[in-house]
Amino acid sequence: TSLQKRVDAVTAVTAGLTPGQRPRTLLMIWNNPLMVAGSSTLIDDIIRLAGGTNIASAIDGFGAMNLESIISADPQVIIVPTSMGKSSDPLWVFVTTDPRMANASAIKNGRVYKIEGDLIYRHSPRCISALEQTASFLHPDLFSKALQ
């Protein structure tokens, strides 16, 4: 199908990446308490297929991750689900302005991205768009900005 072809177009590029080429990635669900998407989630699958390493993969499902663990894992890319791309989203504000996050590689290198929550939270054909966007966030050198 055309959806499978879109998935295959991403994985054909990311399948051969070495662990060192897969950026440490965090998709934060909420900030109070800090909630993340761990293994056995659609989000974990999307991060992996898009060519990243989920720093929360030791957590099964959705769960809490303390800030010290996030900072210690030093995410190279942070993806923030937002409501219709609103910049005033509390989670976006936390990630981009909390001084405790300031030393994360993703913050220092400007690699914090928004994604529409409905794309990445729901098992639907739209999650293919989330895969394409995530791949372009993780590997802008390999994927066209036109996918975003």
Side-chain angles (χ1 to χ4, degrees):
T1 68
S2 65
L3 293 176
Q4 186 62 52
K5 287 179 183 176
R6 289 171 59 195
V7 172
D8 293 346
V10 172
T11 59
V13 175
T14 61
L17 295 174
T18 65
Q21 294 172 311
R22 295 176 169 272
R24 294 180 308 278
T25 304
L26 173 67
L27 190 135
M28 197 177 291
I29 304 297
W30 193 244
N31 61 303
N32 190 15
L34 290 171
M35 299 295 291
V36 297
S39 61
S40 304
T41 63
L42 172 65
I43 293 167
D44 185 62
D45 290 341
I46 288 172
I47 291 170
R48 182 179 37 78
L49 292 172
T53 300
N54 184 358
I55 68 164
S57 63
I59 296 168
D60 186 34
F62 296 95
M65 187 172 187
N66 66 47
L67 186 60
E68 293 76 22
S69 295
I70 291 171
I71 291 168
S72 175
D74 191 25
Q76 296 167 298
V77 174
I78 298 174
I79 302 171
V80 180
T82 61
S83 302
M84 305 300 282
K86 294 179 185 174
S87 61
S88 62
D89 233 303
L91 183 55
W92 177 260
V93 171
F94 169 77
V95 169
T96 58
T97 65
D98 190 292
R100 298 170 296 174
M101 296 288 292
N103 287 325
S105 292
I107 302 292
K108 291 194 285 189
N109 296 317
R111 300 209 55 205
V112 180
Y113 303 99
K114 293 180 194 177
I115 193 164
E116 186 181 329
D118 280 347
L119 291 180
I120 200 151
Y121 288 142
R122 298 174 196 227
H123 291 239
S124 76
R126 295 182 70 205
C127 70
I128 307 304
S129 295
L131 171 64
E132 292 167 335
Q133 283 187 359
T134 301
S136 67
F137 297 157
L138 301 181
H139 300 284
D141 53 327
L142 300 177
F143 292 95
S144 166
K145 294 287 185 188
L147 291 179
Q148 293 187 16

